[in-house]
Structure formats: C-alpha cells, structure tokens
Amino acid sequence: MEWQGIVTLITLFTVLSSLALTRVSADLILMAALAFLLITGILGPAEALVGFGNPGVITIATLYVVAAGLKETGAVQWIARLLLGHPKTEKGAQLRMIVPTGVLSAFMNNTAVVAMFIPAIQGWAQRLGVPASKLLLPLSYATILGGTCTLIGTSTNLVVDGMLQSRLGVHLGLFEVAWVGIPLLLVGGTFLVLFASRILPDRGGVIEELDQVREYGVEVEVMAPGPLVGKTIAEAGLRALSYGYLTEIDRGGRLITAVEPDRTLQAGDRLYFVGAPECASELRRIQGLKSANGSVHKLEVENHQRCLVEVVLGPEFPALNKTIRDSRFRTRFNAVILSLSREGRRVPGKLGDITFRMGDTLLLEASHQFVEQYRFRRDFLLVSALNDSTPPDFRKAPRALGILALMVLVSASGLLQIMEAAFLAAAAMIVSGCITASRARRSVDLPVLVVIAASFALGNAMTVTGAAEWVAGMLLGFGELTPWVALALIYLLTVLFTEVITNNAAAVLMFPIAIALAGQLGVSFMPYAVAVMFAASASFMTPLGYQTNLMVYGPGRYRFVDYFRIGFPLSILVGTTAVGLIPMVWAF
C-alpha cells in the first residue's frame, strides 16, 4: 500500500474518532475530510464530489419534500388516530403502535414518522394509562425495522443502492429488500411486544407542570360536520393532553363544569382548556376543532403562513389600559389574541373585556413575518414564535396520501425509477397545494445530505488507494473465512460503526471494504453489499447511532443503559436473522 492509502486510513481513523468523541458537527468533520483528500491530491474533483450527484442522495433530498407534504396536511396524524384505537393492555398498545409505524416508515422517511408520532403517542399513552417510556423507544425501533422493508424506507438503503448503481451498475427494485426486511420487522416487532414491557423502565413522559409555566386559557369549538361529533371526550383525545386540561364546556349557553371523560361531544360545543402555550398548538393538530375566536377566521393570512406567537407588552405598547375589544389589535397588528397571561396566570373573564397592562403575555395567531416585523419594535419587550405551530390542513390529507400511493405504485411497477417517481411526487405536493415552495425548500435537511455526500469521498478514497483491499486482506489474515463467516463479520463491523457514528457514514465507509472482501473470496458482492445496508440501519444499542433513537431520548426520559438493555438482545436477534436470510435471497 502506497502513501495515499496510509493517509486515507489515518484520515478515516481521525474522522471516526472525531464523530465518536467530539461535539463537532458531522457535516463539518466530513467536509473537512473531503477538502483534505482533495487538496492532497488523493482524489480529483470529480472523485471527491461524486456524492453530491449520487442518485441515492438526490432521492433522499426529494423525499424530504414528500414527507413534508404529508406532515403539513396532517396525513400521518390522521392515520395515527385511525389506527391506534383503544387497546386494553400494554402489550396490545405496543402491537397497535408497531404495526402502523412500521408500515408507514417503509414508504416515508422514518425520522419524519417519529417526529409526527411522538406527540400522538405521548397523549395516547396518557389516555391509556401506559407510561410513555414503554412506547417511545419501541416506536423508534419499529420505524428503523420498517424502513428496511423497502428501498425508500430509510436513507441508508438509498445510499447503498446509489453506490451499487454508480460503481457496479446494479439497481435494486423498490421491494427487492422486502424478502429480508419484512421478516426482520416481524421478528423484531414480536420481540418488542413480548419483552419491551419487562425491560424498559417506568419513567412516564416529560409533561410540563402547569404551575411552572405561563398559563393560558384556550377556547375551541367542535366543528359541524366533523369527526369529533358523537365521540366522547376520551375517544376524541381531549382528556389527557400533554400541555393542558379541559375545564368546562359551553353547550348552547349552558355551562358544563364537571367534564367526565365519557361525555359525548356535540356540534357547536365550545371547549375551554387551561394550560401552557403549547396546549394551543396541540389542539390545532386535532381534526374537527376550530378556534372559538371568530377573529381568527378574519385574519388575512393563508393557513400555511400562520403560526403561534408569544409577546410581552412593553411600556410603549399603544393600547395599555384599554380593553382588548377597544384596542383594535387585529387591525393594528394583523394578529389575533387567543389568550392572555398575567404574572404567569391566566386572567379570568371574557377575553374582550380584559384590560391590557404592561408585562402581560399574549398568545397570538399571526403570520410567520410577524416575528421579524415586531422583534425590535418598542411595542413588545419580547416576541417569540412557538416551534412547529402551523396548523395542518386536514382537507388536503387524502390528496397527500394519494400522491404517496401513486409514487409507490409507479416505482414498484417499474414504470419509473425511484428517483424519477420521487421528483414527480415532490412536484405534485407543491402543485396540489399540500406544501408551498418555500416550506419545501426549508424541509430539506441540508446538514444530513452534506454528511452523506461527503462520506462518498472517503469511500472513494478507500477504493482508489487500495486501502479497502488492504483492510479486507487484514480480515482474511485472521484465518480461513468461509463466505458466511465473512458476511457475519462485515455485518458485525458495520453495526459497531453505526453505533458510534452516523448510519449513512457507516454504510459508505464499509461498502468498499465489503466489496473488496467479496472479491478476495471470489464470491458475489451482492450479499455483502446488502449486509452493509441492513447492518447500518440496525442501531439499537445507543441513542447516537440513529437519529430516531435520539429523538425519543428526552421525551421518554431514557438513559444510555436503557438502550443497551433492550437493544443488545434485539441486535443479536435481528443480526442473526439477517445473516441467515441474506444468502438465501442473494446467493454467494
């Protein structure tokens, strides 16, 4: 091995150490490695930048837009309420959650599935009386396993497929990996249903105490016609919200103050909730409710441009000592007051009769531009938008689901390649109004794409310098390896990599080693490439290896040891199944 190979291996070791031991962002580390390989002449510009034009990377970027369209229309939340139901036992709850999330993540980005299901699962767990910690980590694992069932289920599959296309001229079909992925989902899902309740801790979820936050009153109305009419409070998911509670119902002027969970909702009921500002955001995600404040519907802002904003009134606010009704707030600021909090407590009485005082905190519905427009004005001491508070447009949910179904259909039938089908689906999401062009741009996770694309430079360097061949030779030097033992070794090394660095980086770095090892053994490269694909997704033992594991870490109040206790046996089970099945589908 010449000096280029030695430098490449040192660079690889430095990258792995930096990803595992430092807090420097992964995209910065990998772009630095790409620049170093380019400047030293180990790679030419075309070789170093090949990842940025790889079909798999482009497909991942396009699918971000498709997933965002499903999120903006509330399609996943709609499916969640439809499928989760009201199981009687904890194991029943886990089964009802694993099946839909596993299937959904087979057809859309699993990170997006987890992001949309976390609040739904938290509220659902409260209604069922099940600790959220018993459900959130199985949610992450179910989406990881479900993502292995199709080529578009996880970015790792697309990355490996992209390398197979660009280097070896091989293209996998949409459902080709399902021969292994579906058994993994069944085996892993069964394990979670049988053992997750025993292994996982009972820590509940992170729910803010209402006496420690700014407390608001939020009033909503049951829409007619709508999906909530005729349902009980509990069935509608209104009994145990994460950030608020239902205090009373106004039914045709008659006040119902003792709200039982089995009370049936009627069209036109006005529901009064008390809670944190996030309570208003939670209520907006429930189909069948609308704001009881009539001014909200007069706001001259499109639905997709709205968000919730908190403001604190300053000494130069022009309507101090005036009532909300007399202040003409909506006309003056193009924003509607949903609630008012004073000294951390809600102010009782009709909203329109409350008099403004300096220091009052208002919860507003306004445009996204409101924050930039008034952030440095003296009217308000503080202006802060609530994250992810744009209301879903449920009317367009069937449209978004139809686009997703068509994308899968044309790709599975072979009419179009996955990348082409994804481009058409993303365009359809924008043209049909499921998502705006500006939000489509913002939905693309650029740091993740940079990490994946830059990883290709390291993978290329491993191949062109002979470093991958050297590593493969070192593995063979430990003794006579049969193709099956070599496959298990590649799977194990990839799992170890993916637990300490990103899953996509692990796939890109192990791919050339796997191909070189297959070449030296004189067998087909396909089982080894597919082993890298599945192993890079099989991150169950730490919260760091896969983004969905990290997403549930805080909400479930987990600790590192929790991941290892349930993830280690799950990794052995999934790994054994995968290594046993892969050669049966792709022969050596």
Side-chain angles (χ1 to χ4, degrees):
M1 185 169 55
E2 298 184 0
W3 69 269
Q4 291 94 337
I6 296 171
V7 171
T8 298
L9 288 175
I10 293 171
T11 305
L12 174 62
F13 177 78
T14 305
V15 167
L16 295 177
S17 302
S18 301
L19 288 171
L21 303 175
T22 73
R23 294 186 178 181
V24 181
S25 62
D27 55 333
L28 185 61
I29 291 170
L30 284 156
M31 279 303 295
L34 182 152
F36 175 76
L37 294 170
L38 187 62
I39 292 167
T40 54
I42 293 173
L43 293 178
E47 294 169 317
L49 302 174
V50 68
F52 291 91
N54 184 273
V57 178
I58 302 302
T59 305
I60 293 165
T62 312
L63 288 174
Y64 274 121
V65 178
V66 178
L70 292 165
K71 181 180 179 182
E72 292 291 312
T73 58
V76 176
Q77 293 157 355
W78 181 70
I79 291 174
R81 281 194 299 275
L82 193 67
L83 298 179
L84 292 179
H86 300 276
K88 303 296 183 185
T89 64
E90 198 170 282
K91 283 184 169 56
Q94 288 167 341
L95 181 63
R96 290 291 289 265
M97 177 198 67
I98 288 169
V99 172
T101 53
V103 172
L104 267 175
S105 60
F107 299 105
M108 62 179 290
N109 185 281
N110 45 20
T111 303
V113 174
V114 171
M116 287 181 276
F117 263 84
I118 283 175
I121 294 297
Q122 285 177 306
W124 188 57
Q126 282 185 291
R127 293 195 297 276
L128 298 175
V130 175
S133 59
K134 301 284 188 180
L135 297 173
L136 289 176
L137 196 51
L139 167 68
S140 173
Y141 290 164
T143 60
I144 291 172
L145 292 168
T148 64
C149 295
T150 69
L151 202 59
I152 62 172
T154 174
S155 57
T156 310
N157 292 2
L158 289 166
V159 165
V160 175
D161 182 58
M163 289 188 289
L164 283 170
Q165 287 183 59
S166 59
R167 299 189 189 186
L168 302 165
V170 176
H171 176 71
L172 292 171
L174 178 63
F175 292 109
E176 197 169 340
V177 293
W179 294 104
V180 177
I182 291 176
L184 291 186
L185 177 59
L186 293 173
V187 169
T190 303
F191 171 84
L192 292 171
V193 171
L194 293 177
F195 298 105
S197 295
R198 302 180 194 176
I199 299 174
L200 288 172
D202 181 355
R203 296 203 185 99
V206 178
I207 300 172
E208 294 192 49
E209 296 294 334
L210 294 180
D211 58 354
Q212 296 178 354
V213 299
R214 296 169 302 289
E215 187 179 83
Y216 293 102
V218 181
E219 197 172 356
V220 293
E221 185 177 326
V222 178
M223 294 170 62
L228 300 186
V229 177
K231 287 190 174 181
T232 66
I233 298 293
E235 289 171 345
L238 302 174
R239 184 61 179 174
L241 298 173
S242 295
Y243 296 102
Y245 57 92
L246 177 61
T247 60
E248 59 191 31
I249 300 175
D250 182 347
R251 178 169 292 168
R254 182 171 66 91
L255 208 60
I256 304 170
T257 53
V259 184
E260 306 90 353
D262 57 353
R263 182 173 289 277
T264 303
L265 293 169
Q266 296 181 9
D269 281 353
R270 296 167 76 94
L271 315 178
Y272 194 76
F273 291 83
V274 173
E278 289 82 1
C279 177
S281 186
E282 270 188 296
L283 293 171
R284 291 152 75 94
R285 298 192 193 103
I286 297 177
Q287 188 179 10
L289 295 178
K290 66 177 182 178
S291 174
N293 188 333
S295 297
V296 167
H297 310 292
K298 299 176 185 176
L299 195 62
E300 297 175 358
V301 179
E302 292 293 328
N303 190 75
H304 64 268
Q305 295 176 337
R306 298 184 179 204
C307 65
L308 297 181
V309 179
E310 279 192 290
V311 299
V312 179
L313 302 185
E316 297 186 26
F317 179 68
L320 287 179
N321 302 317
K322 288 184 179 180
T323 64
I324 291 177
R325 184 180 295 104
D326 296 336
S327 68
R328 299 175 58 83
F329 190 94
R330 178 176 60 84
T331 306
R332 191 188 300 246
F333 296 102
N334 196 26
V336 173
I337 300 171
L338 299 178
S339 189
L340 184 146
S341 175
R342 182 170 293 158
E343 296 178 356
R345 298 292 178 194
R346 66 188 177 92
V347 180
K350 288 188 176 181
L351 188 63
D353 297 333
I354 298 173
T355 302
F356 286 125
R357 293 183 188 173
M358 190 183 77
D360 284 352
T361 305
L362 311 182
L363 183 64
L364 310 177
E365 180 156 336
S367 68
H368 291 288
Q369 289 74 33
F370 181 92
V371 176
E372 296 303 321
Q373 186 176 354
Y374 291 101
R375 177 171 286 164
F376 301 110
R377 290 271 296 270
R378 292 181 174 273
D379 304 82
F380 308 113
L381 297 174
L382 177 69
V383 178
S384 174
L386 268 66
N387 290 330
D388 200 23
S389 60
T390 299
D393 192 347
F394 289 106
R395 297 169 303 168
K396 297 176 181 175
R399 196 181 305 173
L401 289 169
I403 292 170
L404 177 66
L406 282 173
M407 182 189 79
V408 172
L409 185 64
V410 298
S411 178
S413 64
L415 290 174
L416 295 173
Q417 296 291 332
I418 291 170
M419 184 174 71
E420 297 164 342
F423 268 121
L424 285 178
M429 287 288 186
I430 297 171
V431 172
S432 65
C434 292
I435 188 172
T436 63
S438 60
R439 293 187 76 82
R441 290 188 204 99
R442 292 198 297 271
S443 70
V444 178
D445 197 335
L446 194 57
V448 171
L449 295 176
V450 169
V451 167
I452 299 170
S455 299
F456 276 79
L458 267 175
N460 262 356
M462 292 285 289
T463 302
V464 301
T465 62
E469 291 280 348
W470 182 81
V471 172
M474 288 288 290
L475 293 176
L476 291 172
F478 288 109
E480 197 68 31
L481 295 182
T482 65
W484 219 310
V485 172
L487 184 72
L489 187 58
I490 287 294
Y491 188 96
L492 177 63
L493 286 174
T494 309
V495 167
L496 293 176
F497 272 176
T498 201
E499 293 292 1
V500 294
I501 62 174
T502 67
N503 52 316
N504 291 312
V508 174
L509 297 177
M510 282 300 300
F511 183 84
I513 296 173
I515 300 303
L517 185 59
Q520 293 191 19
L521 288 171
V523 295
S524 170
F525 59 82
M526 277 304 296
Y528 297 89
V530 174
V532 169
M533 178 185 288
F534 281 100
S537 292
S539 175
F540 306 116
M541 291 185 285
T542 73
L544 304 175
Y546 212 95
Q547 192 169 352
T548 58
N549 287 350
L550 201 56
M551 289 167 69
V552 301
Y553 184 77
R557 289 183 176 175
Y558 294 116
R559 299 171 187 158
F560 267 61
V561 68
D562 298 327
Y563 287 79
F564 187 79
R565 285 175 61 198
I566 190 169
F568 182 69
L570 181 60
S571 292
I572 293 175
L573 182 64
V574 169
T576 304
T577 306
V579 171
L581 287 175
I582 288 171
M584 297 172 66
V585 181
W586 296 274
F588 288 120

